[in-house]
Amino acid sequence: MVAPSGALSIVHTESSTGWGGQENRTLNECLGMRARGHRVTVVAQPGARLLERAAQAGFATAAVRMRKSFDLPAVFHLAKVLREVRADVVNTHSSRDTTLAGLAARLPLAYPGRRPRVVRTRHLILPITSTFTYARLPDQVVAVSHAVRNYLLSKGIAGDQVTTVPTGVDFTRFDPGQTTAADLRGELGLPADAVLVGTVAILRKKKGHHVLLEAAARLRDDPRGAQVRFVFAGDGPQTDNLKARIAELHLQDRIFLLGLRRDIPAVMAGLDLFVLPTLEEALGTSYIEAQAMGLPVIGTRVGGVPETMREGETGLLVPAEDAPALAEAIATLASDGQRRHTMGEAGSRFVRETYCLERMVDGMEALYRRLLVA
């Protein structure tokens, strides 16, 4: 075990094989910790996107098949990895790898010194079915927002067991001064005075795109919405349903599906207003990224979303599944360019101070060191 002030050996585990905000936060933390001189190893299932991207970024990686939550070969394989890298901390990210890596870190006589400390990061605000992987296996649970922490406390997890470390954003990617805005008006054949309202999210029902369609239909008959046009960046399982609903509402000239875009900062730079009427969100990094690009934002009063903005100053909040309220909020900002500008400037200052990547890494590093001297 290293001295509290020395370089740490940190292992991140993940049983999910896909890619999303959870995996993106994990990789960003790995990058931040390596920049501070710590040794980082990433362990995930064969074929996992995180494993692939970590290897591309030059991290040590290990592929461990995690077939189920109680998989003895996986536990022993993970214990072997932890011993080989002389892990000080193992940070787990999903239920399955938390069980497996938590058991591996606690195997009797498996480690020559003190066992690795176990940290579980909770990225979601979905209901939990068991407190075992929160109250028993980890030494500490990290919540990505105060809303997630409060939910865990409501399920009986002790307050001193949960630390909030909000997700940090790499603002070097979201700098309007260094980003050439996508010419969305030219690309879509829209007039120069069109007010572009955009959302960036996977097309899943919980993201609330269907509510935005209903709001757009209401705005068609509102003089304040005459110049408003909507762009959706992203793809996903709701694509066909959204296309059908757009046709039913006769919104083909007002709503445009951009599909999956690799130039999200450029897309955001081409917008006038960012809106995401999500139904459920642990935090909502897309609101943070949009504000970093100087955009006012409209979100919903769910989960950690209210934490990502200052209501009335950098953005507006509406109830979830409330198309009339959403339409009114959009109309209010779409018709007031000066207010959008003022809110955008305030939002950029707010998120760069509150949600910078360095602040997240500071929080995680401080937690790791605290556990090692406990």
Side-chain angles (χ1 to χ4, degrees), residues 96-163:
R96 185 177 302 179
D97 64 282
T98 296
T99 301
L100 298 173
L103 292 173
R106 293 174 179 275
L107 282 177
L109 305 178
Y111 306 97
R114 279 198 303 172
R115 64 167 179 80
R117 295 300 184 244
V118 181
V119 174
R120 174 174 186 172
T121 301
R122 175 66 176 179
H123 300 264
L124 306 175
I125 204 163
L126 296 172
I128 61 174
T129 57
S130 170
T131 61
F132 179 66
T133 58
Y134 297 94
R136 296 296 184 89
L137 281 178
D139 295 286
Q140 190 75 183
V141 179
V142 169
V144 301
S145 69
H146 296 296
V148 172
R149 181 179 192 274
N150 291 338
Y151 171 75
L152 292 173
L153 298 188
S154 75
K155 295 301 177 181
I157 311 302
D160 61 1
Q161 183 81 3
V162 186
T163 301

Side-chain angles (χ1 to χ4, degrees), residues 308-326:
T308 67
M309 66 187 80
R310 288 177 173 161
E311 186 174 6
E313 181 181 342
T314 75
L316 300 178
L317 291 167
V318 299
E321 295 273 19
D322 191 336
L326 181 60

Side-chain angles (χ1 to χ4, degrees), residues 336-357:
D336 192 340
Q338 182 56 51
R339 188 177 182 191
R340 293 199 306 271
H341 177 75
T342 301
M343 293 179 84
E345 287 191 333
S348 181
R349 291 192 298 269
F350 166 64
V351 297
R352 290 176 187 281
E353 175 184 337
T354 309
Y355 291 104
C356 67
L357 188 60

Side-chain angles (χ1 to χ4, degrees), residues 44-369:
Q45 300 216 62
R49 296 283 299 281
L50 176 61
L51 202 66
E52 175 187 341
R53 295 199 183 190
Q56 290 173 350
F59 290 102
T61 62
V64 176
R65 192 168 299 283
M66 307 178 203
R67 299 172 183 82
K68 52 188 178 180
S69 293
F70 293 97
D71 182 345
L72 284 179
V75 171
F76 292 129
H77 192 170
L78 285 163
K80 180 174 182 290
V81 173
L82 298 180
R83 285 196 305 270
E84 287 176 348
V85 302
R86 300 181 64 82
D88 297 303
V89 177
V90 54
N91 192 331
T92 70
H93 295 276
S94 294
S95 178
R96 185 177 302 179
D97 64 282
T98 296
T99 301
L100 298 173
L103 292 173
R106 293 174 179 275
L107 282 177
L109 305 178
Y111 306 97
R114 279 198 303 172
R115 64 167 179 80
R117 295 300 184 244
V118 181
V119 174
R120 174 174 186 172
T121 301
R122 175 66 176 179
H123 300 264
L124 306 175
I125 204 163
L126 296 172
I128 61 174
T129 57
S130 170
T131 61
F132 179 66
T133 58
Y134 297 94
R136 296 296 184 89
L137 281 178
D139 295 286
Q140 190 75 183
V141 179
V142 169
V144 301
S145 69
H146 296 296
V148 172
R149 181 179 192 274
N150 291 338
Y151 171 75
L152 292 173
L153 298 188
S154 75
K155 295 301 177 181
I157 311 302
D160 61 1
Q161 183 81 3
V162 186
T163 301
T164 302
V165 182
T167 297
V169 172
D170 179 5
F171 290 126
T172 61
R173 293 187 59 232
F174 296 92
D175 184 347
Q178 303 296 320
T179 304
T180 301
D183 182 16
L184 297 174
R185 291 170 181 80
E187 180 182 328
L188 301 172
L190 299 176
D193 61 349
V195 178
L196 282 184
V197 176
T199 187
V200 177
I202 187 171
L203 302 185
R204 287 186 181 143
K205 188 167 184 179
K206 73 175 186 177
K207 294 299 182 181
H209 295 87
H210 61 289
V211 185
L212 193 48
L213 297 189
E214 303 301 324
R218 287 175 172 273
L219 284 169
R220 183 173 46 202
D221 302 321
D222 188 325
R224 296 171 297 171
Q227 302 303 318
V228 175
R229 298 296 182 270
F230 298 84
V231 294
F232 294 2
D235 62 8
Q238 285 293 309
T239 300
D240 291 340
N241 290 339
L242 292 173
K243 287 180 178 178
R245 188 60 177 152
I246 289 169
E248 289 174 5
L249 294 171
H250 305 291
L251 293 171
Q252 296 93 326
D253 63 336
R254 302 180 73 87
I255 296 183
F256 302 88
L257 303 185
L258 303 181
L260 185 64
R261 299 284 294 234
R262 302 294 183 185
D263 59 341
I264 293 303
V267 169
M268 286 187 171
L271 300 176
D272 298 300
L273 173 62
F274 180 86
V275 179
L276 181 61
T278 184
L279 311 184
E280 143 193 314
E281 208 76 44
L283 182 63
T285 55
S286 58
Y287 301 103
I288 298 169
E289 293 165 353
Q291 287 172 95
M293 293 300 295
L295 291 174
V297 296
I298 297 175
T300 46
R301 291 190 184 89
V302 298
V305 174
E307 299 173 37
T308 67
M309 66 187 80
R310 288 177 173 161
E311 186 174 6
E313 181 181 342
T314 75
L316 300 178
L317 291 167
V318 299
E321 295 273 19
D322 191 336
L326 181 60
E328 179 61 29
I330 295 171
T332 296
L333 294 186
S335 60
D336 192 340
Q338 182 56 51
R339 188 177 182 191
R340 293 199 306 271
H341 177 75
T342 301
M343 293 179 84
E345 287 191 333
S348 181
R349 291 192 298 269
F350 166 64
V351 297
R352 290 176 187 281
E353 175 184 337
T354 309
Y355 291 104
C356 67
L357 188 60
E358 282 298 300
R359 190 164 181 169
M360 178 183 77
V361 178
D362 283 345
M364 296 303 297
E365 185 179 39
L367 171 62
Y368 293 163
R369 294 198 186 283

